[in-house]
Amino acid sequence: MVKPKAKIDEKQCLACCGCISVCPKDAIYWFGGKASVNPNRCISCTICVKICPVGAISGGGY
Amino acid sequence: MKYDVVVVGAGPAGCVTARFAAESGAKVLIIERRQEVGVPVLCGEGISRKIDSWDMLEGDRWIAGRMDGARIYSPDGTMVKLSADMAGNETGYVVYRDIFDQELARRAVKAGAELMLNTMATGLLKEKNKIKGVKAKRFDEEFDIYANIVVGADGVESKVGQWAGIDTCLKSKDLETCAQYTLTNVDCKDAYCDFYLGKDIAPGGYIWVFPKGKDVANVGIGILASLSKPGLAKKLLDKFIANDPRLKKGEPIRFLAGAVPVANPVETVRDNFILVGDSARQVDPITGGGLTCCLEGGKIAGEVIGEAVKQKDFSKERLSEYETKWKEAFGKKLKRNYMVKEIMLDMDDKTFNMLADSLKNYKFEELSTLSLVTALVKKHPTLLIKLKPLLKVSKETKRYK
């Protein structure tokens, strides 16, 4: 089964950039004052999902 | 556009670097992706009194409160009090970070630096692998900014560093994920910065309560990213506030999230390139405090850049004077504190309680790692095994001073 890619809920994202700084594939970037995922690069490792302080990221089983 | 220096990021590190480079006569441009300097405030807003002698800030508009000291609470509530003389190194002032940053930007501009807001770096300009400046985007307009030196001051998620070939990707064990409120209608009469430890309170980090005047406080949490679960930081912080009699009636006037590197510092120079501040991991891995490092490191960077511009030598060799100097000024301490962080992560709540109990009545002559370790080992000789590597580094650091 293919794990779902990380998805950021823009309404909840506070643009703290934690996810950007831990993404091992450089798949998250700053876009219009929020974090945004490039699904082509995302490997569903879920690091960003776990570390989001406000729980704005879903994916990879979470 | 052609400058001597382009600084990416108008935070404290970027602004101070820009100021000292401009004061040495360099033509400097700072670009900032946000529409306002200093906003949003991603910070606990505590800073050391050391800065008094640094000539960084004028007046006192940036000061929210002067602290009498710090109190550290172990998981069972045992309090260790550090008076201002001892704790002042870490907690001297609570500041208004937005004003603080804007003051630093003002000094940079006064020194001759230009500042461009709403401008995002999208890549580095390179010719034959040599860095020649940055590609930038402002609203829909894309343009090139040529510069002899590019300064990466783009914070924890530094992209500029990666573009320059420095591995700035953080492991989740080297990142604190943070959430914070500015609460009003709280009852924080004491001018103390409070820290709360414990794996149920803040795994791998702490909760802070920093008063900003009588009824306002900056209350936040940092947890180690590797111990985090989705949304855990906010959940634990909300729980703490709901159970704290001083805070539970408070209403947030600001809610923010942030991320703080608690890593070993990275390389900070390349040909035509310098990394400063959070992007260079210049943050104390124990406290997560980075302001003093930003200011101290930024000053060193600015001065070295100024000289490099005068000599027209932008090589890695020339710029590495910066790396040597900041490592001497505070890099060794960061390295040592990274080891302390690793040791602390291995300790359970019981050990923290025991340590706090041993220290609660201890009169610190100085707050240094060495004196702390000595005090602890006197009471608990078995700790010596755990703390031994630390003692060695601590003594070495002392010798260098």
Side-chain angles (χ1 to χ4, degrees):
Chain A
M1 198 189 91
V2 185
K3 281 188 182 171
K5 311 261 177 184
K7 193 165 176 284
I8 299 176
D9 179 354
E10 263 187 42
K11 287 196 263 334
Q12 287 187 64
C13 173
L14 293 170
C16 75
C17 300
C19 52
I20 301 179
S21 46
V22 290
C23 178
K25 291 289 165 191
D26 202 10
I28 312 181
Y29 57 100
W30 167 276
F31 183 76
K34 302 277 175 182
S36 198
V37 180
N38 176 348
N40 297 329
R41 283 177 168 236
C42 176
I43 53 164
S44 308
C45 71
T46 72
I47 295 175
C48 61
V49 182
K50 284 179 216 144
I51 72 123
C52 179
V54 293
I57 315 181
S58 57
Y62 280 96
Chain B
M1 270 186 262
K2 175 90 182 104
Y3 291 84
D4 292 321
V5 186
V6 60
V7 179
V8 180
C15 286
V16 172
T17 306
R19 171 189 156 193
F20 283 94
E23 281 179 0
S24 313
K27 190 170 184 263
V28 184
L29 171 71
I30 313 169
I31 62 170
E32 167 60 47
R33 68 184 174 186
R34 301 200 192 252
Q35 57 191 341
E36 184 174 357
V37 172
V39 177
V41 176
L42 302 170
C43 185
E45 305 184 287
I47 192 170
S48 159
R49 290 215 180 130
K50 273 197 287 192
I51 62 163
D52 284 347
S53 56
W54 289 357
D55 183 32
M56 290 285 173
L57 296 133
E58 290 168 342
D60 59 4
R61 273 191 340 117
W62 52 276
I63 301 174
R66 292 175 170 82
M67 295 298 113
D68 292 334
R71 295 180 297 210
I72 302 163
Y73 293 86
S74 76
D76 69 0
T78 308
M79 186 242 288
V80 179
K81 199 180 205 171
L82 305 167
S83 69
D85 310 343
M86 303 304 152
N89 277 343
E90 301 304 333
T91 55
Y93 299 113
V94 175
V95 306
Y96 297 112
R97 254 300 292 280
D98 38 1
I99 303 176
F100 184 93
D101 284 20
Q102 284 165 14
E103 276 294 296
L104 295 175
R106 189 181 64 78
R107 293 292 291 271
V109 171
K110 200 175 165 192
E114 291 174 41
L115 175 59
M116 202 183 272
L117 297 175
N118 291 310
T119 307
M120 191 166 105
T122 57
L124 286 176
L125 290 170
K126 288 186 185 174
E127 275 170 29
K128 291 177 193 155
N129 257 336
K130 218 166 135 51
I131 296 169
K132 291 279 177 191
V134 298
K135 291 181 209 162
K137 191 176 174 185
R138 190 176 194 210
F139 303 115
D140 288 331
E141 181 197 358
E142 291 185 44
F143 51 95
D144 295 341
I145 304 167
Y146 286 90
N148 292 317
I149 298 176
V150 174
V151 177
D154 53 335
V156 60
E157 75 276 19
S158 184
K159 287 283 165 247
V160 184
Q162 281 179 21
W163 297 332
I166 298 171
D167 182 13
T168 54
C169 180
L170 283 164
K171 300 241 174 352
S172 56
K173 73 175 185 63
D174 287 337
L175 182 86
E176 292 280 327
T177 169
C178 306
Q180 65 173 97
Y181 290 103
T182 301
L183 291 178
T184 185
N185 196 36
V186 295
D187 185 18
C188 295
K189 282 190 285 290
D190 305 341
Y192 276 84
C193 286
D194 289 337
F195 299 85
Y196 298 83
L197 303 173
K199 73 172 186 346
D200 297 328
I201 294 170
Y206 60 83
I207 281 181
W208 71 82
V209 178
F210 292 178
K212 295 173 86 174
K214 274 192 202 70
D215 60 356
V216 180
N218 181 324
V219 183
I221 187 170
I223 63 180
L224 200 70
S226 55
L227 302 173
S228 172
K229 291 185 190 111
L232 185 67
K234 182 175 185 294
K235 268 180 226 153
L236 289 173
L237 182 60
D238 286 340
K239 189 173 124 193
F240 179 86
I241 291 169
N243 291 316
D244 188 299
R246 297 167 303 172
L247 306 175
K248 64 180 177 193
K249 283 190 186 145
E251 288 290 339
I253 50 174
R254 186 186 267 166
F255 175 62
L256 292 165
V260 178
V262 284
N264 264 320
V266 291
E267 291 173 89
T268 51
V269 288
R270 286 281 193 271
D271 290 331
N272 308 79
F273 186 81
I274 272 186
L275 213 52
V276 295
D278 277 13
S279 62
R281 315 302 177 221
Q282 290 168 346
V283 176
D284 184 333
I286 300 179
T287 62
L291 276 177
T292 50
C293 298
C294 278
L295 302 186
E296 223 175 339
K299 180 167 189 246
I300 296 169
E303 286 169 352
V304 170
I305 290 169
E307 283 305 306
V309 168
K310 275 181 204 158
Q311 295 164 5
K312 296 192 169 55
D313 179 358
F314 313 109
S315 65
K316 185 179 174 183
E317 288 70 36
R318 178 69 194 81
L319 299 178
S320 63
E321 183 189 337
Y322 158 65
E323 187 149 313
T324 312
K325 282 187 168 168
W326 76 254
K327 283 193 170 155
E328 195 55 44
F330 56 86
K332 289 198 182 87
K333 182 185 151 192
L334 300 187
K335 211 173 154 191
R336 184 195 68 205
N337 285 4
Y338 184 79
M339 287 181 69
V340 180
K341 181 202 98 177
E342 297 280 283
I343 294 170
M344 282 170 75
L345 280 175
D346 272 344
M347 294 182 179
D348 54 12
D349 280 4
K350 226 174 97 190
T351 314
F352 275 119
N353 288 334
M354 182 187 83
L355 296 181
D357 195 61
S358 322
L359 294 173
K360 66 182 178 194
N361 296 317
Y362 189 79
K363 292 274 173 283
F364 291 99
E365 282 168 23
E366 51 160 357
L367 189 67
S368 71
T369 316
L370 192 60
S371 68
L372 207 65
V373 173
T374 313
L376 288 174
V377 170
K378 259 186 212 161
K379 286 226 172 186
H380 308 282
T382 49
L383 267 179
L384 189 62
I385 300 155
K386 252 188 188 171
L387 300 176
K388 211 171 180 179
L390 188 60
L391 211 57
K392 195 169 156 259
V393 184
S394 178
K395 275 182 179 156
E396 276 171 10
T397 318
K398 208 159 190 180
R399 212 178 303 142
Y400 280 118
K401 273 182 186 168

